[in-house]
Amino acid sequence: TCFGLKDEHLVVVLSNLVDNAIEACEKITDDKSKKITLVMKVEEESSFLYIENTTAFPVKVLDNQVVLPSKRSEEHGYGLKNVAAILNRYKAVFAIAYKEDSSLFCFSAQIPETLSYAYTDLTAQIANLTAKSTYSSKNVLYTVQREV
């Protein structure tokens, strides 16, 4: 089964999204649950990527972009811009959302299967997460959930 991105692009997308999720969870200092969920799915016409994580503070999303305070905008935000640039190259559709009631930042993407790339084993690429991963079904590559 091939995911809709070249391996090197998939690594950039995953590393940026997962790094952001870990960083957000590390900022949680109270008794709130720290949680990261990553789901990747391949279907005949498209690949799907979904990641959500809890946050310490509300995240403002406007026009499918995270709005950062002006004092932080120069030092943050490059990871999501890199993710968007790669997904735009593949004509992917993606959405960024924040669920205030559950303090969850959510990123989802649908990547069309327009190109055929050899897909390397994702296990090695996400093993560094030291997360619990479970194989869910024939079409879902991996679901990773980590309590931080």
Side-chain angles (χ1 to χ4, degrees):
T1 304
C2 292
F3 199 80
L5 302 175
K6 283 186 177 181
D7 289 347
E8 58 267 25
H9 294 148
L10 180 60
V11 169
V12 171
V13 167
L14 287 176
S15 62
N16 277 291
L17 291 173
V18 171
D19 185 58
N20 287 351
I22 291 170
E23 185 178 317
C25 284
E26 288 175 340
K27 292 178 182 175
I28 298 173
T29 58
D30 58 12
D31 292 336
K32 290 171 58 175
S33 172
K34 298 178 181 184
K35 181 177 132 184
I36 298 170
T37 302
L38 170 65
V39 178
M40 299 176 71
K41 184 176 183 180
V42 176
E43 292 186 354
E44 193 171 313
E45 299 292 323
S46 299
S47 297
F48 298 90
L49 169 65
Y50 178 80
I51 186 166
E52 70 179 20
N53 59 272
T54 50
T55 64
F57 308 103
V59 177
K60 184 174 180 181
V61 177
L62 181 64
D63 296 329
N64 213 28
Q65 295 183 355
V66 173
V67 178
L68 296 170
S70 58
K71 64 182 179 184
R72 292 184 50 214
S73 63
E74 290 183 22
E75 58 192 56
H76 292 287
Y78 294 107
L80 282 176
K81 289 178 184 172
N82 289 336
V83 169
I86 288 171
L87 293 177
N88 286 332
R89 286 179 61 183
Y90 288 85
K91 299 190 183 339
V93 176
F94 61 93
I96 299 172
Y98 183 72
K99 298 178 184 177
E100 223 169 304
D101 60 331
S102 52
S103 300
L104 280 176
F105 175 83
C106 307
F107 182 94
S108 57
Q110 178 180 357
I111 302 112
E113 288 292 338
T114 57
L115 305 170
S116 176
Y117 295 117
Y119 181 74
T120 58
D121 186 7
L122 182 61
T123 306
Q125 295 174 13
I126 63 173
N128 293 332
L129 295 177
T130 61
K132 176 182 83 175
S133 64
T134 56
Y135 188 77
S136 298
S137 77
K138 164 180 144 179
N139 290 332
V140 175
L141 291 177
Y142 286 91
T143 299
V144 177
Q145 188 164 336
R146 177 180 181 191
E147 298 296 326
V148 182

